Amino acid sequence: MICFCLTGQTIEENLRLCERHARHADLVELRADFLSAGELGAACKFPTLLAERAPGMAAILTIRRQSEGGRYGGDERRRVEALAQGVGAGFSFVDLEHDLHAPSIDASLRHSAVTVIRSRHDTTHMRPDPARELGALPRNDLELPKLAAHVAGFSDAARMMLGAVEYAALHGQARRDGSGEAHRERPGGESRFLMVGMGPYGVPTRILARRLGCAWSYASASGEAAPGQLSPEVLDTLYRVRSHGPRTGVLCVIGDPIEHSRSPEFHNARLVADKRDAVYVPMRVDDFDAWLQLAHALPITGASVTVPLKEQALLAAERRDDAAEAVGAANTLLRTTGGGYMATNTDVAGFLAPFAEMELPRHATVIGAGGAARAVVFALLKQGCHVTIVNRTHERADKLAESMRSLTGLGRSMVKVLPLDDLGEVEHGALVVQTTTVGMTPEEEADPCPRLRFRGDELVYDIVYTPEYTRFRRRAEAAGCRTISGRRMFEGQGQEQYRLFATAARFD
Ligand code: ATR
């Protein structure tokens, strides 16, 4: 279930928003605190107009005070009056703050079938025990408890998600024991609570709301209603929130920042194509241990790992394969059947992906000796290719060669080092791989080794993919070389990652 928050200044504007987004939402929340002063009185006409413009859509009436993160700064009596009027006007739900008790509202409620959303908003910080906070709110046939709190970091987000799981388990148990109360068939169904983490770290609480047992997930067109809100389209089509249930598999990408990541589009599209009951969620993580605790509890079946968590992920995993060992960093964590995590690095397989369709030359010159070069050199050596490493800082190239020799047991004839200045004099391999960051946007005209003269018969692989045509690659093509774009490696590592997720994770 997706609840679309309406933050227009007029009733008409909100109705237009409903028409535009209705197909991605199951109910709407009229945030009457966003209405201009003259429009508040018209809020009670909203349900009738909604029935004409978006038939079948249930509505919530909310007039959030400024002290709870809303816009309403007016007279409290006026607000109570508008809420009491709204109760009899056809709204299915009315959102009342946990400390709001007004005889006029109670009187209206007695004669209506409206469900109260009894909400608590902690807009500046989250309290230590969200399950307890939620448990302290009334929960019965006529009231739905809601906790919304600002999450300042991932540990807050994890605590909230774990709190939701704990609360859902307790609540479900009570019902199975027969001590739980009956509930009416209304939007929200079996799930009788709401929990929301506000702010960028709270995004997973919104995407996973249904998976965590919440009645619905809140969305907005502009993100104005609460920070971190996603649009109904994104929740519905990218994350498929409406199809989630307690058994939905959870995959994620973790890093900080994470907003720019294209991985959710990539992996969710494949999950849809494969008809998996699983979702891939972006998680901005500034506390790896908190993530690990959540990962074990949910559980999270697989994770893509990005900057700055790759080394930590490698250290934390119970097991690691030789690719992760060689690179010294994990870009993938997979849950094992034993319940721990296995670290791997799909950059190795991603780099080799283009060679499924073309022959890998026997001799390669690798420019660079950083983290990316480690994956490339290891991949080449595993394929039996002779490698010469060239780097601006010679000692670093020496160190890389030495560590690869000890890791693979191969000798100096397989892994050599060449000073960068000698590259113009000594003949380079039939494959040249550019692994440095030179030439990457925004320094697109930079060339990592201008002294290198292409013969025209080499295969040139630049692993930089922003821009796709680096100066180095353009220079190689101008000399007649065949080239491979870094995009191939990027896509290859993602495909390999998905293959591992799909085989390691038991989603169903
Ligand atoms: P990554 O993980 O992306 O490989 P890295 O570990 O910082 O990043 O490594 C960057 C690589 O680019 C190194 O080989 C670095 O050379 P040094 O070891 O001499 O630093 C190389 N590099 C970065 N800027 C460079 C420049 N202006 N000219 C030549 N090489 C450069």
Side-chain angles (χ1 to χ4, degrees):
M1 302 259 304
I2 295 171
C3 174
F4 180 31
C5 302
L6 301 170
T7 54
Q9 290 193 6
T10 64
I11 295 291
E12 179 52 32
E13 189 185 337
N14 283 324
L15 289 166
R16 266 190 259 122
L17 281 170
C18 286
E19 284 172 330
R20 200 171 324 137
H21 300 279
R23 90 201 146 83
H24 299 293
D26 303 283
L27 71 162
V28 294
E29 179 188 38
L30 177 66
R31 283 291 301 267
D33 50 313
F34 279 74
L35 292 173
S36 57
E39 287 271 312
L40 184 59
C44 55
K45 295 200 189 107
F46 180 76
T48 313
L49 297 168
L50 181 70
E52 289 164 17
R53 307 272 286 266
M57 184 83 84
I60 305 170
L61 174 63
T62 301
I63 313 176
R64 184 83 61 233
R65 299 179 297 220
Q66 282 173 353
S67 58
E68 304 230 339
R71 293 272 174 99
Y72 188 82
D75 178 41
E76 182 63 4
R77 269 183 318 180
R78 173 91 187 83
R79 189 175 83 99
V80 168
E81 193 185 310
L83 285 166
Q85 274 173 9
V87 167
F91 285 97
S92 301
F93 299 87
V94 60
D95 185 313
L96 303 179
E97 292 80 6
H98 65 106
D99 56 355
L100 174 67
H101 292 286
S104 60
I105 298 176
D106 290 347
S108 303
L109 283 169
R110 271 196 288 278
H111 305 290
S112 80
V114 172
T115 299
V116 173
I117 298 169
R118 188 61 72 176
S119 63
R120 165 170 212 119
H121 287 76
D122 294 319
T123 54
T124 53
H125 69 284
M126 201 178 108
R127 286 156 196 267
D129 188 345
R132 209 171 114 191
E133 294 300 327
L134 202 61
L137 296 171
R139 175 175 60 79
N140 55 52
D141 191 25
L142 300 172
E143 303 217 355
L144 192 66
K146 171 184 172 183
L147 178 68
H150 171 72
V151 292
F154 193 79
S155 68
D156 279 355
R159 204 147 38 86
M160 178 166 271
M161 288 187 265
L162 292 169
V165 171
E166 186 187 330
Y167 182 87
L170 275 174
H171 183 38
Q173 191 60 46
R175 192 179 293 135
R176 275 196 298 280
D177 291 348
S179 53
E181 61 291 280
H183 65 275
R184 291 184 211 158
E185 278 307 313
R186 351 170 131 255
E190 289 276 318
S191 303
R192 302 291 294 166
F193 73 97
L194 293 157
M195 215 187 242
V196 189
M198 293 184 288
Y201 290 99
V203 166
T205 71
R206 297 177 183 280
I207 298 171
L208 292 174
R210 294 287 294 154
R211 166 64 169 77
L212 297 169
C214 297
W216 56 74
S217 178
Y218 285 94
S220 76
S222 58
E224 267 185 331
Q229 255 179 9
L230 303 168
S231 73
E233 284 80 353
V234 167
L235 282 180
D236 185 27
T237 57
L238 178 59
Y239 297 112
R240 306 166 318 284
V241 165
R242 288 156 133 176
S243 70
H244 295 175
R247 291 167 60 78
T248 299
V250 183
L251 297 162
C252 63
V253 54
I254 57 171
D256 194 1
I258 204 68
E259 289 71 20
H260 65 281
S261 174
R262 313 309 302 168
S263 296
E265 277 89 350
F266 181 90
H267 288 284
N268 280 309
R270 277 156 185 78
L271 290 170
V272 171
D274 287 353
K275 299 194 169 54
R276 299 268 188 187
D277 179 18
V279 60
Y280 182 96
V281 185
M283 296 187 179
R284 181 171 169 189
V285 173
D286 59 351
D287 181 338
F288 186 77
D289 291 340
W291 178 80
L292 207 54
Q293 202 192 342
L294 177 76
H296 282 296
L298 279 183
I300 292 174
T301 43
S304 309
V305 185
T306 180
V307 179
L309 303 173
K310 291 184 178 187
E311 284 77 20
Q312 241 178 314
L314 181 73
L315 291 175
E318 282 82 359
R319 284 165 50 199
R320 53 174 82 166
D321 71 358
D322 57 358
E325 183 80 50
V327 181
N331 77 344
T332 310
L333 287 174
L334 302 166
R335 188 160 178 85
T336 63
T337 41
Y341 283 91
M342 153 123 134
T344 182
N345 196 310
T346 62
D347 282 342
V348 174
F351 169 74
L352 292 173
F355 300 106
E357 296 145 25
M358 64 178 97
E359 204 179 330
L360 176 65
R362 308 303 301 159
H363 289 87
T365 299
V366 174
I367 303 163
R374 292 187 69 85
V376 168
V377 172
F378 179 71
L380 290 168
L381 291 174
K382 288 279 273 186
Q383 296 301 306
C385 190
H386 292 77
V387 177
T388 303
I389 306 168
V390 188
N391 191 47
R392 176 179 64 179
T393 311
H394 189 71
E395 299 72 39
R396 213 169 161 202
D398 257 341
K399 243 174 118 177
L400 174 58
E402 196 43 55
S403 99
M404 286 296 153
R405 283 185 207 115
S406 73
L407 199 77
T408 59
L410 295 168
R412 282 176 191 276
S413 63
M414 289 297 286
V415 201
K416 294 189 185 124
V417 176
L418 190 72
L420 184 63
D421 284 347
D422 290 359
L423 201 56
E425 323 295 327
V426 180
E427 185 144 309
H428 49 267
L431 172 66
V432 177
V433 189
Q434 196 306 104
T435 74
T436 75
T437 48
V438 181
M440 211 181 261
T441 310
E443 300 198 7
E444 295 180 7
E445 285 315 304
D447 190 325
C449 43
R451 283 172 62 90
L452 188 146
R453 294 278 160 263
F454 294 108
R455 297 183 300 266
D457 62 353
E458 317 86 320
L459 179 60
V460 176
Y461 194 159
D462 191 337
I463 71 163
V464 170
Y465 61 90
T466 49
E468 198 161 348
Y469 270 93
T470 56
R471 184 189 173 103
F472 191 72
R473 201 173 152 216
R474 279 187 275 126
R475 195 155 69 77
E477 288 202 353
C481 301
R482 286 175 304 145
T483 67
I484 304 174
S485 157
R487 181 156 290 282
R488 298 286 305 279
M489 175 169 171
F490 175 68
E491 286 168 0
Q493 68 79 25
Q495 273 152 10
E496 173 64 4
Q497 204 165 54
Y498 183 74
R499 192 186 68 76
L500 292 171
F501 288 155
T503 49
R506 289 175 303 171
F507 299 130
D508 303 319

